[in-house]
Amino acid sequence: MARFLAALAVLATGLVPQVLGAQMPDPIDGVEVDADAGTLMGSRENGVQVFRGVPYAAAPTGENRWRAPQPVEPWAGVRAATAHEPPCAQPVDTDTTVANFGGVNGAQSEDCLYLTITAPENAQDAPVLVWFHGGAFFLGAGSLGSYDGTANAQQGVITVSVNYRLGALANFVHPALDAQHPDEPQGNYALQDAVAVLEWVRGNIAAFGGDAEQVTVAGQSAGGGIVVNLLSLPSAKGLFDKAIVQSGSLLLPDRPEADAERMAIEALETIGIGPDVTADELRSISAQTFAASEPLRAGFFFTPDPAFKPTSTIAALRAGKETDVPVLVGTNRGEKGFAAARTLAALAGDTGAPAFLYRFDHTPAFRASEWGEGPIHSAELMFTFDSIDRSSWGGERADAADRALADTVNGCWVAFAKMAPGARDFACADGFTWQAYSPGGSAALIETAGLRMAPADALPDGPEEDATTQDE
């Protein structure tokens, strides 16, 4: 037996790497931080500190499914925070080398409420950017390379990138659940996760060198929709001081709870679940079953809740009752949505804190033949994070112009996160002054050569539709 074990050790340490071209990872340059629930060990990388797989709530499984986020149980000893935990449950390709439209492939888990924190070395009172990923509310993960916070940290801003519940495990209401916990908020579990993240940041970010009074909430696409909703949630008020919405100006009313319940009941019938199902029986359905079911996988949108979500953000904006913080909002030239972004900027910046509007116009040279009408949805991400080399959208194909613009745009996003309270404009990009938007005013055009202000009303909502495909 001793000889057998010795042979295995040789294989593990020598022969296998030589044969397969594999290698063990380099040793971790560890760094420890004491969070509320216990000590975390992250790693020093590229001059910054990174903590991966940090729990901000208990696993939303079993009795915790379709309930408000529960506190993390304290752990003993030092918890490794050097690898990402799996993304939240979502549909993925059977070929694990192929990513879904949210950028995710391979394993996922219902146990997914984790953060990635990227912080400067020796930070003190650093501004914080809390990032909510896109993915149509049923795809995606906060750990993707496009959202890498290294460039932010190298300029003094901490990035907290978030996983939140997706699909029917996030936006789902049912009479059986309401009857079991009538005193708890129903539905909107992704939004409840978002508030739990901000509460975690409030209680823990100082240990990473962050300032809990300087927190920018930011997101793209569905993540932008979460940020828009945070502007009207009573429980989120006071937990952030700025907001960034990238291609996610979700100015829609909530879905009536009765309609969402009816849709959920009808969708459950497609997997053999009748209307008299109990709450315990609902919780016995596997997360994979929800992700695999087309009628269920996307969930049923946000719904009113008298305590947690008493109003939609569009109603709050029109009434002037939203959380009044500076908002930076915009879209890409090759997608629809600029009109909604302009409306959000006008409503958010009408009184009190300012709003800043942009349109991203740069098309990388290697995408010119594909993006004939301009940069498409998500194209700006590797520029706002300056993450070209970590993004599946960039890498070696990017040229010097792409890299220069990524440095410039990321610098502007960092400048907004650092903007002083009460400021009506901010400077970035070697002398560019980003002016606040008001109706009839200007937006920042982000072009290959840099940024410039241009009349916003002259900019279209997006590419014109081909009349031959409008009805398809």
Side-chain angles (χ1 to χ4, degrees):
M1 177 61 73
R3 289 183 178 178
F4 176 70
L5 293 176
L8 286 180
V10 170
L11 284 172
T13 58
L15 295 181
V16 171
Q18 292 176 23
V19 172
L20 301 181
Q23 64 181 25
M24 291 297 292
D26 292 333
I28 297 294
D29 182 6
V31 55
E32 294 185 5
V33 164
D34 292 326
D36 282 352
T39 302
L40 293 160
M41 185 187 75
S43 57
R44 293 183 177 91
E45 306 170 22
N46 302 306
V48 304
Q49 299 178 357
V50 185
F51 297 81
R52 300 177 174 91
V54 177
Y56 67 88
T61 58
E63 288 300 313
N64 288 343
R65 180 188 282 182
W66 297 312
R67 297 189 70 188
Q70 302 298 306
V72 175
E73 289 290 334
W75 57 83
V78 179
R79 178 179 180 136
T82 56
H84 295 300
E85 297 290 344
C88 293
Q90 57 193 282
V92 293
D93 200 287
T94 54
D95 180 349
T96 57
T97 67
V98 177
N100 64 21
F101 288 129
V104 170
N105 53 357
Q108 331 98 57
S109 174
E110 190 174 1
D111 176 6
C112 62
L113 300 186
Y114 297 93
L115 311 170
T116 301
I117 302 158
T118 309
E121 284 269 24
N122 305 313
Q124 291 185 340
D125 297 327
V128 182
L129 185 141
V130 179
W131 176 258
F132 298 96
H133 67 80
F137 301 110
F138 75 107
L139 302 169
S143 57
L144 301 183
S146 291
Y147 315 142
D148 185 276
T150 299
N152 288 348
Q154 289 172 340
Q155 297 181 80
V157 173
I158 295 174
T159 301
V160 179
S161 190
V162 179
N163 282 353
Y164 53 88
R165 279 175 278 187
L166 300 173
L169 299 177
N171 293 319
F172 184 88
V173 287
H174 193 282
L177 300 176
D178 194 12
Q180 188 179 55
H181 296 290
D183 297 329
E184 295 184 2
Q186 299 295 314
N188 307 306
Y189 300 105
L191 294 179
Q192 294 189 55
D193 293 344
V195 174
V197 168
L198 295 176
E199 291 172 340
W200 187 94
V201 168
R202 171 70 55 150
N204 289 275
I205 206 63
F208 299 84
D211 182 357
E213 300 299 325
Q214 291 189 77
V215 176
T216 299
V217 290
Q220 183 262 351
S221 193
I226 285 187
V227 171
V228 169
N229 275 273
L230 288 171
L231 293 172
S232 62
L233 292 181
S235 56
K237 191 167 186 176
L239 297 178
F240 62 95
D241 76 318
K242 300 182 190 74
I244 298 175
V245 180
Q246 298 174 212
S247 304
S249 300
L250 193 68
L251 299 177
L252 297 174
D254 297 330
R255 173 165 282 151
E257 184 176 6
D259 291 351
E261 285 187 346
R262 173 184 53 78
M263 294 171 70
I265 290 170
E266 292 174 354
L268 286 167
E269 289 178 347
T270 68
I271 60 168
I273 305 297
D276 57 349
V277 64
T278 68
D280 289 341
E281 289 169 337
L282 283 171
R283 290 193 173 95
S284 73
I285 302 170
S286 73
Q288 185 177 150
T289 299
F290 282 103
S293 165
E294 289 192 20
L296 286 163
R297 61 175 50 161
F300 304 100
F301 202 59
F302 304 118
T303 49
D305 182 90
F308 179 74
K309 200 175 191 305
T311 186
S312 66
T313 295
I314 183 59
L317 286 165
R318 287 171 175 162
K321 295 182 178 180
E322 80 280 5
T323 295
D324 187 28
V325 297
V327 174
L328 190 155
V329 57
T331 60
N332 299 341
R333 182 178 180 179
E335 65 178 344
K336 295 287 188 181
F338 185 76
R342 187 169 52 210
T343 298
L344 176 55
L347 291 171
D350 56 354
T351 59
F356 301 89
L357 184 61
Y358 76 87
R359 192 181 74 181
F360 184 81
D361 281 16
H362 171 70
T363 297
F366 70 89
R367 295 284 194 182
S369 62
E370 302 170 65
W371 300 351
E373 295 184 292
I376 64 171
H377 193 62
S378 304
E380 86 290 358
L381 289 168
M382 67 179 182
F383 295 89
T384 59
F385 278 94
D386 193 5
S387 58
I388 283 175
D389 289 323
R390 297 171 181 85
S391 171
S392 61
W393 288 56
E396 295 179 355
R397 298 169 295 177
D399 62 18
D402 299 325
R403 295 177 185 280
L405 186 63
D407 180 70
T408 295
V409 175
N410 176 247
C412 288
W413 260 237
V414 165
F416 177 76
K418 293 180 176 180
M419 187 177 71
R424 304 296 301 179
D425 58 37
F426 64 96
C428 64
D430 295 326
F432 175 75
T433 298
W434 198 323
Q435 302 160 5
Y437 174 79
S438 59
S442 296
L445 290 187
I446 302 173
E447 301 172 318
T448 304
L451 283 76
R452 66 181 177 91
M453 300 301 297
D457 287 351
L459 302 177
D461 185 50
E464 293 185 7
E465 291 186 15
D466 187 335
T468 63
T469 62
Q470 286 183 356
D471 297 327
E472 293 182 5

